[in-house]
Amino acid sequence: MSLSLDKSEESVFLRFAARFCGVKTSSAAHGDIRLKLGNVILNETNTIVRYFARAADRELELSGTTPLEQAEISEWMSVASNQRANESLNNKGQWSLLDAHLASRVYFVGNRPTLADATLFYVIYKAFVKSHGAVSKHVNLRRWFNQLQHTVGIRGFETMPIIDVAVHQHLLMVHTTTTAPAADKKAPVTDEAAPASKAKPDAKTDGKAKKEDKPKKEKKAAAPAPVVDAQPDITKLDIRVGKIVKVWKHETADKLYCEEIDVGEDAPRQIASGLVKHYSLEQMEGRMCLVMCNLKARALVGFKSHGMVLCAVKTDADGTEKVAFVEPPAGAKPGERIVYEGLTGEPLSPAQVEKQKVLVTAGEGLKSDATGIAMWKDHKFMTSAGPCSSPSITNGILR
């Protein structure tokens, strides 16, 4: 693969896309933009980007696992390409359309960052710098932007320093109702009271009936103040110690392993993981790991996955991505739930995790420290046998 770049903005974008996909471009020659593959030459930017994903063995992950995903990703890539050429994203209507699309989604397509997110992020970053105020009301776009700028492959790109983004805090509204006291029933008129109604009017009133005092209006109760959900996001996830008891390669997806993992339930869970590039079958079999258990089941190239293994990830300066399991300590048992120093809270249901976008809000604090200990912000991942870690990856992120 021979990549030639010029000094245009489009070449900067291609370096960005290559880094996101995990492809090295340090040896790129200078000249017109083109990618030479034997006797074939590619000139169109999005075609080159798709090839980057294929060359990195991440085609299904980044370009789509189903025909529908592939079509959607291509559509968004075309939108991003047009916006790079026309710089049309400063239009407020465009901000609103993107924000509305993300109202019920973590990413633009599927449940992971794809080429759609990467290509749109590049354009949005440029526009965001120019028109920071234009996105202030678009909470979904801000949340997505902040998630993407901390994603491996994007974070640390040479021309894109992290931007401080105010992310909307999810509030749990507490509604209270008050029941007004029942009105007093009108007292019956007795025979003794009846004559009083026939009494002559007082002279001072000149025969006019004295006006009754108007009842004072009751003051409306003040609206209840919103209550911030105080449960730490990480405790909403059900992360357990697991043991891979069976593993095999997916029939059609080259990068996927299919696993059966013991997480302390009646039967092992079936989970798919894109780890073929990083581990052999022999290294996978019998391995202890951490599993996110309260995620909605997802079909990955026809294989239904009931959870996700947790890995540490780090991208080197040359764009190479390293991935390693987060491992429980010796003595930890399958099914044991991970706890966090100083934090408490019960995990949510899979539907609640998806609705509240817990993977996004909790994911921003997941990392490995300088010694490889798995952390959420400043809190260690703990088991009864000690902390969990990824010894080979320090100062990485967890995903």
Side-chain angles (χ1 to χ4, degrees):
M1 179 175 69
S2 175
L3 178 65
S4 177
L5 299 174
D6 57 21
K7 296 182 179 180
S8 66
E9 181 65 24
E10 202 73 349
S11 289
V12 178
F13 165 71
L14 280 173
R15 288 200 300 273
F16 166 83
R19 189 175 189 273
F20 174 75
C21 294
V23 175
K24 296 180 182 180
T25 59
S26 56
S27 60
H30 292 289
D32 294 335
I33 294 177
R34 68 176 189 174
L35 180 66
K36 188 174 182 181
L37 305 166
N39 295 325
V40 177
I41 295 178
L42 305 179
N43 300 103
E44 200 275 323
T45 302
N46 281 345
T47 303
I48 294 174
V49 172
R50 290 189 190 93
Y51 186 81
F52 286 163
R54 183 177 182 83
D57 196 24
R58 301 177 67 190
E59 185 175 18
L60 289 172
E61 174 192 353
L62 300 180
S63 299
T65 59
T66 66
L68 179 58
E69 276 195 357
Q70 291 162 8
E72 287 183 288
I73 290 169
S74 292
E75 188 77 13
W76 283 116
M77 289 176 70
S78 296
V79 169
S81 182
N82 291 335
Q83 289 171 345
R84 284 199 309 275
N86 303 321
E87 296 188 356
S88 60
L89 201 58
N90 289 324
N91 183 304
K92 291 182 180 179
Q94 289 282 1
W95 292 113
S96 298
L97 287 173
L98 296 175
D99 187 74
H101 181 80
L102 290 167
S104 59
R105 298 171 175 86
V106 177
Y107 301 105
F108 273 88
V109 180
N111 61 353
R112 66 203 180 281
T114 66
L115 294 180
D117 298 281
T119 53
L120 284 167
F121 178 85
Y122 186 86
V123 180
I124 290 171
Y125 185 96
K126 301 292 183 183
F128 194 96
V129 171
K130 294 178 181 178
S131 309
H132 194 290
V135 77
S136 60
K137 295 181 180 179
H138 300 95
V139 295
N140 304 307
L141 194 57
R142 288 208 316 268
R143 179 261 307 159
W144 170 86
F145 181 93
N146 196 51
Q147 174 77 358
L148 261 288
Q149 71 173 342
H150 288 92
T151 298
V152 170
I154 291 179
R155 185 178 61 183
F157 183 66
E158 58 197 48
T159 62
M160 292 183 169
I162 296 294
I163 296 176
D164 186 18
V165 179
V167 179
H168 178 68
Q169 297 294 317
H170 295 283
L171 299 180
L172 177 64
M173 300 299 294
V174 178
H175 299 281
T176 59
T177 56
T178 55
T179 304
D184 292 336
K185 293 182 179 179
K186 189 174 181 180
V189 179
T190 63
D191 291 341
E192 293 178 355
S197 64
K198 298 179 182 179
K200 292 182 180 180
D202 190 280
K204 293 181 181 180
T205 63
D206 294 329
K208 294 180 180 179
K210 189 176 181 180
K211 293 182 179 179
E212 295 181 359
D213 292 335
K214 291 183 179 180
K216 294 182 179 179
K217 292 183 179 179
E218 292 184 6
K219 291 183 179 180
K220 291 183 179 180
V227 179
V228 177
D229 181 2
Q231 182 178 353
D233 289 316
I234 191 62
T235 65
K236 298 175 183 179
L237 293 173
D238 183 8
I239 302 179
R240 301 184 214 163
V241 174
K243 182 178 181 179
I244 301 174
V245 295
K246 185 178 179 181
V247 60
W248 64 98
K249 285 188 176 181
H250 192 284
E251 291 181 358
T252 57
D254 294 340
K255 70 163 192 171
L256 287 181
Y257 280 131
C258 301
E259 306 118 19
E260 289 186 359
I261 304 180
D262 177 8
V263 290
E265 297 172 332
D266 292 339
R269 287 197 180 207
Q270 289 197 334
I271 293 176
S273 307
L275 295 172
V276 171
K277 184 178 177 181
H278 306 285
Y279 290 95
S280 67
L281 279 169
E282 292 73 23
Q283 290 173 320
M284 293 285 290
E285 190 84 44
R287 179 176 286 273
M288 299 294 287
C289 58
L290 299 189
V291 180
M292 288 189 183
C293 293
N294 58 338
L295 306 180
K296 276 191 173 182
R298 304 287 184 190
L300 297 178
V301 199
F303 181 85
K304 201 160 190 179
S305 182
H306 299 267
M308 182 176 77
V309 296
L310 193 63
C311 291
V313 183
K314 190 173 184 178
T315 303
D316 292 339
D318 62 1
T320 303
E321 185 178 74
K322 294 181 178 178
V323 178
F325 279 107
V326 177
E327 302 173 2
K333 304 296 183 184
E336 181 178 354
R337 188 183 167 214
I338 303 302
V339 295
Y340 313 91
E341 289 183 322
L343 303 179
T344 58
E346 290 301 312
L348 304 182
S349 69
Q352 289 172 316
V353 168
E354 184 170 279
K355 183 177 181 180
Q356 296 185 23
K357 299 180 173 67
V358 177
L359 274 181
V360 174
T361 54
E364 294 174 5
L366 291 173
K367 61 184 179 181
S368 61
D369 69 8
T371 63
I373 299 296
M375 308 283 290
W376 184 72
K377 297 184 177 179
D378 296 325
H379 307 276
K380 294 180 181 179
F381 278 48
M382 297 296 296
T383 69
S384 59
C388 304
S389 65
S390 57
S392 63
I393 295 184
T394 59
N395 296 319
I397 66 169
L398 308 185
R399 70 180 188 193

